[in-house]
Amino acid sequence: MMFRKTAFACVLAATAAATLAADALAAPTVQLGPRPFYLVDSMADGPLKTKLQSCQAGPFKASDFSIGHRGAPMQFPEHTRESYVAAARMGAGILECDVTFTKDKELVCRHSQCDLHTTTNILATPLAAKCSQPFTPADPATGRKASAKCCTSDLTLAEFKSLKGKMDAADKDATTVEAYMKGTPDWRTDLYATSGTLLTHAESIELFKRLGAKFTPELKSPSVTMPFQGTYTQEDYAQQLIDEYKAAGVAPKDVFAQSFNLDDVLYWLRAEPTFGVQAVYLDGRYDDKSFDHAKPETWSPDMHALAADGVRIIAPPMWMLVDLDGNNRIVASEYAKAARKAGLDIITWTLERSGPLNNGGGWYYQTTKAGIDDDGDMMTLLDVLAREVKIKGIFTDWPATVTYYANCMGL
């Protein structure tokens, strides 16, 4: 039996609407700030830079090509109301709530079931006593790093809602809780991280509706053993996510449910086909030692098999979609070409998550490192993804950058 019935989901949606009712927020006027202009100015001279410079006067509007990855977490605490509002103000046409569940099986927005120790103030509250693993200070003498593990499943919904969001960071050399809760990278900021408002999944739906944005919830892999508490199955969890959109009256065409677990996508295709038809398979097989994104013979299932199973949208990280040619120019990868040949639409992640690019850009740029040495190269990569790979959208930690490009290129 499914854990959540539609009637109960209706109660959740009504509660969320009532909670946000006092807020008269509406779809905002798009404001990009200086960053995209700085990136364009940083580009090497050429036709792309000239084209992007020609768009500096705007006007700019929201675009579905620009997907707010956890909101706007380059500067705002991820998965908070403040982060989502900032993303919408920067023109993100689609917003992401990563979905996990509490001890009383309520859905909430968090990137991981067990990240509360780095993304909230829990360790500075009495609720720290409920964490799966309490704070342990670093010990320089033995080389032990500081640690903690606090999960949404450790808390009831009411307890979760009492927390405040902070920038996702921890100082693993810390010997005190206060020091451990710091550690924000110097290219981010704590300027807006004083009181991040945590949201339930249902509250995020109501907020996104009022911001005029579409929805891309990701069903996060549970950190607890399923069935949770002996009865709450993975299918219950996947169904509960969809039920909350149905209860809120959201059209299936506006929802792009995601999962790294292919079985979740196949479940939605079977049980909720109007939602499943545009479910997104997040391709995380790069962690599988037998998988090589450059060798099609290692792909199981391959692109055609995914398409045959009904999958229509695949979403790998950016680096799997691009490569360098003999002149160190960024080009579409064989993986990208194979996905397109199989008829799959492509979404990718994550722009603006790597900090300054003067050293090659790190994990998200691993296949193009030799061709990346300046922040302006971000716009060159984005152009290849849009025009050669032909992605339908891109997750970004700072939506203004993508919104600028999308408006300039008519996306």
Side-chain angles (χ1 to χ4, degrees):
M1 178 181 294
M2 293 297 176
F3 176 79
R4 284 292 186 269
K5 301 298 185 184
T6 300
F8 186 67
C10 287
V11 173
L12 288 179
T15 301
T19 300
L20 295 167
D23 179 6
L25 193 68
T29 300
V30 172
Q31 303 174 38
L32 300 186
R35 181 158 178 80
F37 302 91
Y38 159 78
L39 293 173
V40 172
D41 289 344
S42 298
M43 296 176 67
D45 290 339
L48 178 59
K49 180 175 182 177
T50 300
K51 169 62 178 174
L52 292 174
Q53 286 179 324
S54 73
C55 303
Q56 290 185 351
F60 299 103
K61 62 182 180 180
S63 170
D64 290 353
F65 189 78
S66 181
I67 305 173
H69 180 240
R70 315 180 201 175
M74 189 165 76
Q75 294 194 27
F76 289 82
E78 64 184 43
H79 292 307
T80 61
R81 180 191 179 281
E82 293 77 11
S83 188
Y84 291 134
V85 171
R89 285 176 173 152
M90 288 187 278
I94 304 175
L95 297 174
E96 178 190 45
C97 168
D98 287 332
V99 177
T100 187
F101 54 86
T102 61
K103 186 176 183 178
D104 44 354
K105 308 182 190 74
E106 302 293 356
L107 301 186
V108 295
C109 298
R110 286 290 93 194
H111 176 63
S112 169
Q113 190 160 41
C114 295
D115 71 3
L116 296 181
H117 51 288
T118 63
T119 63
T120 75
N121 66 336
I122 188 170
L123 293 177
T125 76
L127 290 173
K130 297 196 172 188
C131 289
S132 293
Q133 296 175 13
F135 171 72
T136 301
D139 185 345
T142 64
R144 183 186 69 198
K145 295 295 186 179
S147 64
K149 182 180 179 182
C150 305
C151 308
T152 59
S153 50
D154 295 332
L155 308 179
T156 65
L157 178 59
E159 290 167 337
F160 171 85
K161 287 286 290 176
S162 73
L163 301 175
K164 295 296 183 181
K166 72 177 192 68
M167 295 300 283
D168 182 12
D171 182 351
K172 294 186 179 180
D173 293 320
T175 57
T176 66
V177 165
E178 292 76 17
Y180 181 79
M181 290 174 63
K182 298 178 181 179
T184 302
D186 56 11
W187 50 272
R188 292 184 174 172
T189 181
D190 288 313
L191 188 62
Y192 308 111
T194 57
S195 58
T197 306
L198 304 193
L199 298 177
T200 67
H201 178 234
E203 287 172 338
S204 80
I205 294 172
E206 293 303 319
L207 177 62
F208 297 178
K209 283 168 65 176
R210 293 163 66 195
L211 289 170
K214 295 179 183 176
F215 314 81
T216 185
E218 181 191 336
L219 194 73
K220 300 303 295 187
S221 297
S223 299
V224 295
T225 301
M226 300 292 275
F228 180 57
Q229 298 178 344
T231 58
Y232 185 58
T233 67
Q234 184 69 23
E235 289 191 350
D236 291 337
Y237 177 33
Q239 184 63 48
Q240 186 178 351
L241 180 148
I242 298 299
D243 284 347
E244 294 197 354
Y245 288 95
K246 294 165 72 174
V250 176
K253 67 180 177 62
D254 291 335
V255 181
F256 301 85
Q258 325 162 61
S259 181
F260 281 99
N261 182 351
L262 181 57
D263 287 340
D264 292 335
V265 175
L266 298 178
Y267 170 78
W268 290 323
L269 283 165
R270 292 193 310 271
E272 295 287 351
T274 57
F275 287 89
V277 71
Q278 58 185 30
V280 180
Y281 171 46
L282 296 164
D283 195 348
R285 291 178 290 178
Y286 48 80
D287 281 335
D288 184 342
K289 292 181 179 180
S290 67
F291 177 85
D292 185 335
H293 82 285
K295 296 180 179 179
E297 64 271 19
T298 69
W299 307 345
S300 181
D302 64 18
M303 302 298 184
H304 289 286
L306 288 169
D309 283 339
V311 176
R312 294 192 179 183
I313 306 174
I314 194 167
M318 298 187 304
W319 61 264
M320 287 173 57
L321 295 172
V322 289
D323 205 342
L324 294 176
D325 68 10
N327 295 313
N328 275 353
R329 292 178 299 195
I330 303 172
V331 295
S333 69
E334 292 304 313
Y335 176 102
K337 294 174 184 176
R340 296 287 302 169
K341 186 175 181 180
L344 297 174
D345 286 335
I346 304 170
I347 295 172
T348 193
W349 43 279
T350 304
L351 206 70
E352 293 279 32
R353 195 162 179 78
S354 302
L357 301 186
N358 55 305
N359 291 318
W363 190 85
Y364 286 97
Y365 293 82
Q366 59 189 276
T367 54
T368 55
K369 186 173 182 179
I372 300 290
D373 61 11
D374 186 86
D375 289 346
D377 292 332
M378 190 183 309
M379 303 304 281
T380 303
L381 171 63
L382 182 56
D383 187 61
V384 172
L385 289 168
R387 296 208 284 182
E388 292 190 33
V389 178
K390 300 187 185 303
I391 61 171
K392 296 296 184 182
I394 185 168
F395 287 89
T396 175
D397 278 14
W398 200 245
T401 299
V402 178
T403 301
Y404 183 103
Y405 177 88
N407 276 261
C408 194
M409 298 300 182
L411 301 175

